Amino acid sequence: ILTHANHCTSPVLAAQDRYAREHPETCERDSRMHSLAASRPLSESDLCAMLADHATAPNSICLHNDPDWSFLEQGESIASIIIDLTAGTLDVADGPPCEHRYQRYLLSR
């Protein structure tokens, strides 16, 4: 399973990653996702639940605006994507995955 967050994890690139320095919560979300992914064999519903996870709120994997944050700090999950390369499918939640169902698209090979 390959997970993706909004920062670089390569040691060479991470040193230059201004986003991770300014938004360290991205590293926390990435760590949370890795720990959930490593805990057991995963089903499709497990993946959907992981992407809708709020355990580390307010900076959770499924991120929502917080009225206590300044305008510049506001952020929200605007989409969630699961790609199954073996099956050739792309599942997209058009908004926070805790509030939006995934729509499946077939990828042409």
Side-chain angles (χ1 to χ4, degrees):
I1 293 177
L2 174 66
T3 62
H4 177 281
N6 295 328
H7 64 278
C8 297
T9 56
S10 159
V12 173
L13 297 175
Q16 305 301 318
D17 190 348
R18 188 178 84 192
Y19 185 83
R21 285 192 308 276
E22 293 176 2
H23 303 280
E25 65 275 7
T26 187
C27 299
E28 294 171 30
R29 286 193 296 274
D30 188 43
S31 293
R32 173 75 177 154
M33 186 60 118
H34 279 288
S35 68
L36 291 171
S39 64
R40 64 191 180 285
L42 299 173
S43 68
E44 184 176 324
S45 62
D46 290 331
L47 289 173
C48 293
M50 289 165 55
L51 291 166
D53 184 78
H54 295 106
T56 57
N59 295 308
S60 54
I61 293 170
C62 184
L63 184 65
H64 297 273
N65 284 319
D66 186 318
D68 293 333
W69 294 343
S70 73
F71 176 77
L72 294 176
E73 293 173 316
Q74 293 295 322
E76 183 172 53
S77 296
I78 59 169
S80 181
I81 301 170
I82 300 171
I83 303 170
D84 185 334
L85 297 174
T86 305
T89 58
L90 174 76
D91 296 345
V92 179
D94 188 16
C98 68
E99 299 173 357
H100 294 82
R101 295 184 65 134
Y102 285 87
Q103 297 294 316
R104 176 157 290 167
Y105 299 92
L106 297 176
L107 303 173
S108 58
R109 297 180 185 202

